[in-house]
Amino acid sequence: MQTAARPSHTHDRSRAHEAARLAKRLRHAVGRAIADYNLIRDGDRVMVCLSGGKDSWTLLDLLLSLQTKAPVKFELAAVNLDQKQPGFPEHVIPEYCRERGVPFRVIEQDTYSVVTRVVPEGKTLCSLCSRLRRGALYAFAEREGFDKIALGHHRDDILATFFLNLFYGGTLKAMPPKLLSDDGKHVLIRPLAYCRETEIAEYAAQRAFPIIPCNLCGSQENLQRRQVRRMLDAWEREHPGRSEIMFRALSHVAPSQLADPALFDFASLGSPGETARPDAHAWLSGEASLPGGDT
């Protein structure tokens, strides 16, 4: 009787080789983002926001890997916000962090009850949930003296945010790899800024991270963001590499080729020595004068 063929050692070695190459690519991408934007400096205490999703697990894992080889010394601590969602497995993150020897803290704040009470039924909870979560994490970071707050947003998140602001907000902005909070007290960093979501998902599966789904808002993703992500996915399928080109454009901005007079001094172009300009009212009312006094 012929037995079923077993996977060959060659196949196993090939899989291990591909996994090693993926890990190397992601480490390189994170290291390049850190260097390009000076995300982490010598002596920094970095707070890694750990939700239990694939992105934050990958962020923590890659930073831990780089920590042993980095040209600067920095501390890492994982921080999870327990929002008291029903059924949330509170043991998963502490157990994993203990196994890895990672310092961690769990902040308990019942934002779930607040969000579900305040937001009308049928409306997305993401915006309010995000604000409450951000406030809790900022307060903890300030209290504990962290220098940087590391978030797990990746390249595809940044692109999607850019198109959301373009289509629905009328602004050209996205998620920068490094950001100073509005109150000027916190520096937010996104070390995964150069990483593709598909590769993060593959890496998380290979590393068998204990993924915790977000039942509060993850299953109720904002409709506009979902539409944008579908559009980006379709573009990438039809034209592989387009997402990379679009992301590259975000770091090669030409203000003189856009139309923001606050960003580029269009008014002075071709007008040497001009000291004053008529305002919009003057032009619209016919009171604007041409050079030389003619109307």
Side-chain angles (χ1 to χ4, degrees), residues 61-282:
D61 192 76
L62 293 174
L63 288 179
L64 286 170
S65 177
L66 290 171
Q67 189 180 34
T68 61
K69 307 171 184 177
V72 298
K73 300 294 183 183
F74 62 95
E75 297 179 27
L76 287 174
V79 175
N80 170 251
L81 175 61
D82 181 355
Q83 299 176 267
K84 298 304 176 185
Q85 298 177 36
F88 181 79
E90 299 177 359
H91 64 285
V92 171
I93 289 176
E95 286 181 1
Y96 185 88
C97 288
R98 290 191 190 101
E99 290 175 3
R100 292 290 305 271
V102 181
F104 73 93
R105 292 285 296 276
V106 175
I107 310 168
E108 296 187 5
Q109 184 167 320
D110 189 2
T111 61
Y112 177 86
S113 296
V114 175
V115 171
T116 52
R117 183 179 69 251
V118 172
V119 178
E121 186 176 355
K123 299 293 184 180
T124 56
L125 310 175
C126 303
S127 178
L128 178 58
C129 178
S130 177
R131 289 200 302 272
L132 293 174
R133 185 170 64 247
R134 187 164 56 243
L137 292 171
Y138 282 7
F140 181 81
E142 182 177 5
R143 189 165 63 248
E144 298 296 323
F146 285 101
D147 302 291
K148 304 286 172 60
I149 300 175
L151 305 173
H153 299 121
H154 44 69
R155 187 195 71 180
D156 300 84
D157 288 325
I158 294 172
L159 272 178
T161 301
F162 171 78
F163 281 103
L164 276 169
N165 286 316
L166 177 66
F167 294 155
Y168 302 106
T171 58
L172 288 178
K173 66 178 183 179
M175 291 176 171
K178 189 177 186 180
L179 176 70
L180 185 66
S181 62
D182 291 340
D183 60 10
K185 295 180 179 180
H186 308 285
V187 178
L188 281 67
I189 61 175
R190 296 182 171 98
L192 298 181
Y194 292 163
C195 299
R196 296 163 52 193
E197 183 176 22
T198 53
E199 293 199 329
I200 290 173
E202 184 179 352
Y203 184 77
Q206 290 176 356
R207 299 286 289 165
F209 296 136
I211 306 298
I212 303 173
C214 177
N215 296 320
L216 176 59
C217 53
S219 57
Q220 186 204 41
E221 188 179 11
N222 180 279
L223 179 60
Q224 294 172 346
R225 180 172 291 273
R226 190 161 61 239
Q227 291 173 334
V228 166
R229 291 302 296 268
R230 281 203 298 263
M231 177 193 73
L232 293 174
D233 290 343
W235 283 352
E236 189 63 26
R237 285 193 303 271
E238 296 171 10
H239 305 281
R242 175 172 284 188
S243 294
E244 180 65 31
I245 295 171
M246 290 189 295
F247 183 82
R248 199 182 309 141
L250 295 181
S251 60
H252 293 79
V253 179
S256 65
Q257 307 303 306
L258 297 175
D260 188 343
L263 193 62
F264 185 82
D265 187 10
F266 293 98
S268 64
L269 290 180
S271 306
E274 185 178 3
T275 58
R277 292 180 290 125
D279 61 17
H281 172 74

